[in-house]
Amino acid sequence: MESLKRIRIADLLHEWKSIGAGSTINLKGWVRTKRGNKKVAFIALNDGSIIHSIQIVVDLESFDEATLKLITTGSCISVNGVVVESPGQGQAVELQAREIEVYGTADAETYPLQKKGHTLEFLREIAHLRPRTNTFGAILRIRHAMSFAIHKYFNDNGFYYLHTPIITGSDAEGAGAMFRVTTLDDKKPPLTLKGEVDYTQDFFGKPTNLTVSGQLEGELGAMALSNIYTFGPTFRAENSNTPRHLAEFWMVEPEMAFHDIKDNMDLAEDFLKYLVNYALTNCKDDLDFLNNMYDKELIDRLKFVTENAFQRLDYTEAIDILKASGQTFEYPVNWGTDLQSEHERYLVEKHFMKPVILTNYPMSIKAFYMKQNDDGKTVRAMDVLFPRIGEIIGGSQREENLEKLTRRMNEMGIPENEMWWYIDTRKFGTAPHSGFGLGFERLILFITGMANIRDVIPFPRTPQNAEF
Ligand code: 4AD
Ligand code: MG
């Protein structure tokens, strides 16, 4: 076969006018379908560069039958052919095949994606192959675009990307149960005289875990570089089997010196609107597909978020609204209890009908590092609540006062001696500062309109599930 430079299908569809009808090019990809009659075969070829497949027209007379037989749904081929303007509607160009090489066959009897229209549940069981479907192609391309947009937003706004550790020796954040990291022999760990596992003999000389958040180290960065962000995997070992929880998820955590809670809210709102706008502008084909296939209101919902100011209110006001709502909730509403997803969604979807930023939560339900209000009861926490998602961002202004911080740590039983490095920032050049964490998969849930968080990460980690 003549060796020609391969063109991505995305590039062909965007640039076919300059490539020119009549030119001979090479395409490579996976066969979605093959149909036809006694004279011609029509192959839908997709290489994942774009949602659209391209039609390959094969004149049966010019090819030997044995090769053509190998070309079935799921097989991988390389095609040299001539670009022709497509007579059919829908697509501008197609490829008139001249030469075909089959890279890999896919047995029609056993290839799991033989037919269209599989359920999302079934596709989860074949997570190794689901990227080859239109739905997951779209989701994975959007995930990429959002990662890129996150870095672009922060870079353009003077933030530095700080790489915080994934293995951590502290579990003070209290954000969730942790996964232990150890190299000790699980059958015969070394024991202390008291008969407990002797972690001084472990790899790091102390117990270590996978991090639940990069925030505490992020604060160290902000106390030197002013504005930083982290963007990495985080881990929570809770047994929560919900459509919004993963055991391994990605979190984006900006941390800003000299920002108070209002600045923090302004940044969160601007950031989210930027990301949604970026998707609307740069992921149009994929969003159109998801809008048509899964959720006819998706694009309208995305636009709505970019066009309207988020509602800001105190936790205490939210409790009053929920109590006066006349709704029966599964979990009762009382000042001092954490809001459940049903409460958050009532506020967003029924009461305000737009995204909500709640602030000034009870101190007792929030982390030790949040800035204490003068009332002695509440802290300057902020949660951003989104339609269909509930909490998408959690953050706060941080307590910068050494005495108040350590008093709270003692009340909550957080050992000061293990956190000496964190406390040092309040001893040496402390400053008002704030930050938040955006759950990356919750963002992707919102942008794609998918209903289950297992469908917006390539290889989900949930209780009892780490197959792929
Ligand atoms: O509210 P969280 O627990 O906040 C923190 O971890 C802070 N340290 C963030 C900060 O201030 N820098 O988590 C932040 C966000 C949540 O709002 C949610 O979007 C997401 O992370 N999240 C999860 N996403 C998927 N699966 C889980 N199990 C999640 N837990 C939290
Ligand atoms: Mg939270």
Side-chain angles (χ1 to χ4, degrees):
M1 194 159 119
E2 189 190 350
S3 133
L4 297 168
K5 190 170 180 292
R6 174 203 166 208
I7 295 180
R8 296 183 331 138
I9 292 171
D11 296 334
L12 174 62
L13 292 178
H14 290 140
E15 293 155 30
W16 69 271
K17 282 193 177 139
S18 60
I19 292 168
S23 39
T24 305
I25 61 163
N26 174 264
L27 295 177
K28 300 184 200 297
W30 292 268
V31 173
R32 285 294 172 78
T33 56
K34 187 175 87 175
R35 52 190 184 83
N37 53 39
K38 288 198 174 117
K39 285 191 164 153
V40 279
F42 299 105
I43 298 169
L45 191 72
N46 188 286
D47 66 4
S49 60
I50 193 168
I51 187 106
H52 309 294
S53 299
I54 194 127
Q55 173 151 289
I56 314 283
V57 183
V58 185
D59 194 353
L60 297 188
E61 270 191 353
S62 327
F63 290 87
D64 82 279
E65 216 186 307
T67 309
L68 291 176
K69 263 198 170 159
L70 301 177
I71 303 172
T72 57
T73 297
S75 61
C76 185
I77 61 174
S78 172
V79 190
N80 288 342
V82 179
V83 179
V84 286
E85 281 191 54
S86 180
Q89 41 166 278
Q91 202 130 94
V93 285
E94 54 189 34
L95 200 72
Q96 187 75 48
R98 290 284 177 265
E99 294 175 287
I100 301 180
E101 183 183 343
V102 178
Y103 283 149
T105 57
D107 179 18
E109 295 290 309
T110 52
Y111 181 56
L113 290 171
Q114 191 56 233
K115 298 242 150 42
K116 284 187 162 185
H118 291 299
T119 64
L120 294 169
E121 287 80 8
F122 171 74
L123 292 176
R124 268 173 231 151
E125 290 167 21
I126 52 163
H128 60 308
L129 294 172
R130 67 180 182 171
R132 293 197 201 172
T133 62
N134 280 335
T135 298
F136 283 90
I139 292 166
L140 294 179
R141 282 184 297 271
I142 290 172
R143 232 187 118 94
H144 161 79
M146 287 295 94
S147 309
F148 180 77
I150 285 164
H151 288 297
K152 180 163 168 51
Y153 178 88
F154 286 127
N155 185 63
D156 291 354
N157 285 285
F159 285 68
Y160 296 109
Y161 183 23
L162 183 78
H163 297 96
T164 52
I166 290 174
I167 298 174
T168 173
S170 86
D171 69 356
E173 166 105 0
M178 301 181 94
F179 290 100
R180 175 60 44 89
V181 175
T182 179
T183 54
L184 293 179
D185 182 348
D186 56 355
K187 288 184 200 76
K188 249 181 144 188
L191 298 178
T192 61
L193 291 176
K194 282 194 197 152
E196 290 159 352
V197 175
D198 182 7
Y199 284 105
T200 63
Q201 296 191 47
D202 203 347
F203 190 91
F204 296 104
K206 62 188 288 198
T208 49
N209 295 293
L210 294 178
T211 189
V212 294
S213 153
Q215 178 197 324
L216 301 186
E217 295 89 352
E219 287 186 50
L220 311 180
M223 288 298 106
L225 303 172
S226 292
N227 290 355
I228 64 91
Y229 69 105
T230 72
F231 182 10
T234 50
F235 306 86
R236 299 195 183 174
E238 283 124 74
N239 195 8
S240 32
N241 262 305
T242 83
R244 281 178 300 278
H245 287 87
L246 290 164
E248 175 180 296
F249 64 99
W250 287 65
M251 203 176 357
V252 186
E253 295 180 275
E255 192 71 33
M256 299 75 66
F258 321 122
H259 275 49
D260 65 12
I261 188 70
K262 166 142 191 322
D263 303 322
N264 206 21
M265 290 193 273
D266 291 346
L267 182 77
E269 182 166 344
D270 186 62
F271 177 50
L272 286 169
K273 285 178 168 168
Y274 173 89
L275 294 176
V276 176
N277 255 323
Y278 189 93
L280 285 168
T281 315
N282 295 280
C283 307
K284 201 174 168 315
D285 288 0
D286 290 324
L287 286 178
D288 283 344
F289 171 81
L290 295 170
N291 193 84
N292 293 338
M293 285 293 289
Y294 291 98
D295 180 354
K296 297 274 188 289
E297 284 155 25
L298 173 62
I299 291 177
D300 286 343
R301 198 161 53 239
L302 297 180
K303 285 191 179 145
F304 182 82
V305 162
T306 64
E307 286 161 5
N308 290 282
F310 296 3
Q311 180 72 43
R312 300 180 184 189
L313 79 159
D314 275 15
Y315 166 92
T316 303
E317 296 170 73
I319 294 292
D320 292 343
I321 291 170
L322 290 167
K323 279 193 160 164
S325 70
Q327 295 275 314
T328 34
F329 293 112
E330 195 186 332
Y331 294 88
V333 185
N334 282 307
W335 199 97
T337 57
D338 213 353
L339 294 184
Q340 302 294 323
S341 168
E342 55 173 343
H343 308 131
E344 297 173 341
R345 291 184 60 177
Y346 175 83
L347 292 169
V348 173
E349 291 165 22
K350 301 255 166 61
H351 190 82
F352 291 110
M353 294 188 285
K354 56 177 156 169
V356 170
I357 310 183
L358 281 188
T359 40
N360 296 324
Y361 280 74
M363 188 186 322
S364 57
I365 57 170
K366 289 292 184 184
F368 74 92
Y369 50 70
M370 295 195 180
K371 184 163 178 67
Q372 297 159 30
N373 283 320
D374 292 338
D375 64 10
K377 289 194 310 195
T378 59
V379 287
R380 261 172 240 179
M382 91 180 186
D383 278 8
V384 182
L385 314 179
F386 255 39
R388 298 185 42 155
I389 309 293
E391 181 190 336
I392 195 164
I393 278 181
S396 73
Q397 187 169 341
R398 317 305 189 192
E399 182 56 72
E400 83 270 23
N401 178 285
L402 175 65
E403 200 193 314
K404 284 188 181 166
L405 179 74
T406 49
R407 195 189 319 130
R408 188 70 191 136
M409 289 175 75
N410 290 330
E411 281 168 12
M412 293 177 78
I414 295 164
E416 274 185 57
N417 59 349
E418 279 176 27
M419 296 293 290
W420 62 272
W421 47 272
Y422 184 77
I423 295 170
D424 261 9
T425 56
R426 273 64 169 176
K427 278 189 193 157
F428 307 123
T430 191
H433 63 291
S434 297
F436 61 80
L438 166 69
F440 184 61
E441 284 73 21
R442 298 222 179 144
L443 171 76
I444 306 299
L445 269 180
F446 181 71
I447 302 273
T448 60
M450 289 286 112
N452 194 311
I453 201 163
R454 292 166 180 80
D455 297 332
V456 297
I457 186 164
F459 306 105
R461 299 283 175 263
T462 50
Q464 300 297 313
N465 177 31
E467 180 71 20
F468 303 94

